[in-house]
């Protein structure tokens, strides 16, 4: 009985993506080559190039498999942010990509092609936060002129430092403290906590 060609194609694609992730973990981006991916995945280079034009596109495909936190509307910005950060924390704890991301960010300094593709990955991660902030503005919890993009920058910066420089988990206590700090800093003065 012959194997379904579509199923074989999906299996080959998953083997290639697993091999890419394995090689990124073992040697970083500079050690990643299509030849090595093909060898580890037991796939032909033609099969790889048929799906991904460059190794940068292959890395992007690996990152696009990372789950994205889904905003949950709980009716209040603090609760929405805490729920979103909990999801993100769980995703990062379980992700094999956690150790790879800092290496790729460093590589972006000298690799404009990789940098351009990782902008797409980062945009996917920013979208849920943007949604939560825009909902809070619509509810009147934040001023209409709130700078959502700057707030997202601050959030991502705090999380990145915690994960990649301090090598700490995003604990429930830390998440709550970050959210309170952010909200006390961006709410109108009349709405700040006493």
């Amino acid at each position: 009985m012959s194997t379904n060609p579509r199923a074989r194609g999906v299996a080959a694609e998953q083997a290639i993506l697993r091999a890419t992730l394995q090689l990124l973990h073992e040697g970083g981006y500079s050690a990643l080559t299509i030849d090595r991916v093909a060898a580890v995945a037991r796939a032909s280079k033609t099969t790889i190039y048929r799906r991904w034009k460059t190794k940068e596109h292959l890395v992007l495909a690996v990152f696009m498999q990372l789950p994205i936190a889904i905003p949950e509307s709980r009716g209040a910005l603090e609760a929405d942010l805490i729920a979103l950060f909990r999801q993100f924390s769980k995703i990062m704890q379980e992700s094999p990509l956690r150790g790879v991301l800092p290496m790729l960010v460093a590589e972006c300094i000298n690799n404009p092609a990789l940098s351009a593709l990782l902008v797409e990955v980062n945009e996917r991660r920013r979208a849920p936060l943007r949604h939560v902030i825009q909902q809070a503005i619509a509810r009147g919890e934040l001023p209409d002129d709130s700078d959502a993009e700057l707030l997202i920058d601050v959030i991502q910066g705090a999380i990145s430092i915690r994960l990649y420089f301090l090598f700490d988990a995003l604990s429930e206590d830390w998440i709550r403290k970050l959210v309170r700090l952010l909200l006390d800093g961006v709410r109108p003065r009349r709405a700040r906590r006493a």
Side-chain angles (χ1 to χ4, degrees), residues 6 10 18 44 50 75 79 82 90 94 113 116-117 127 144 146 150 156 163-164 166 173 175 186-188 194:
R6 184 173 169 81
V10 169
R18 279 193 306 273
S44 71
R50 192 178 305 130
I82 288 171
K90 187 173 188 313
E94 296 173 357
L117 289 175
D144 289 341
S146 295
L150 179 58
Q156 283 191 319
L163 289 175
Y164 306 127
L166 301 177
D173 182 56
I175 289 169
V186 297
R187 282 187 176 138

Side-chain angles (χ1 to χ4, degrees), residues 39-116:
V40 172
R42 296 183 180 172
S44 71
K45 289 199 300 184
T46 304
T47 299
I48 296 171
Y49 283 122
R50 192 178 305 130
R51 290 171 174 84
W52 303 283
K53 293 186 288 188
T54 64
K55 79 173 186 175
E56 289 85 6
H57 286 93
L58 190 53
V59 169
L60 176 64
V62 169
F63 269 89
M64 291 308 240
Q65 292 191 316
L66 182 66
I68 296 295
I70 308 295
E72 299 172 12
S73 184
R74 296 171 181 237
L77 179 56
E78 183 170 344
D80 289 352
L81 283 174
I82 288 171
L84 196 65
F85 291 168
R86 273 190 198 128
Q87 286 184 57
F88 178 74
S89 176
K90 187 173 188 313
I91 288 167
M92 290 312 290
Q93 284 172 2
E94 296 173 357
S95 173
L97 294 170
R98 180 178 174 179
V100 172
L101 188 56
M103 288 186 287
L104 290 178
V105 169
E107 181 65 31
C108 285
I109 293 168
N110 298 312
N111 187 331
L114 179 63
S115 181

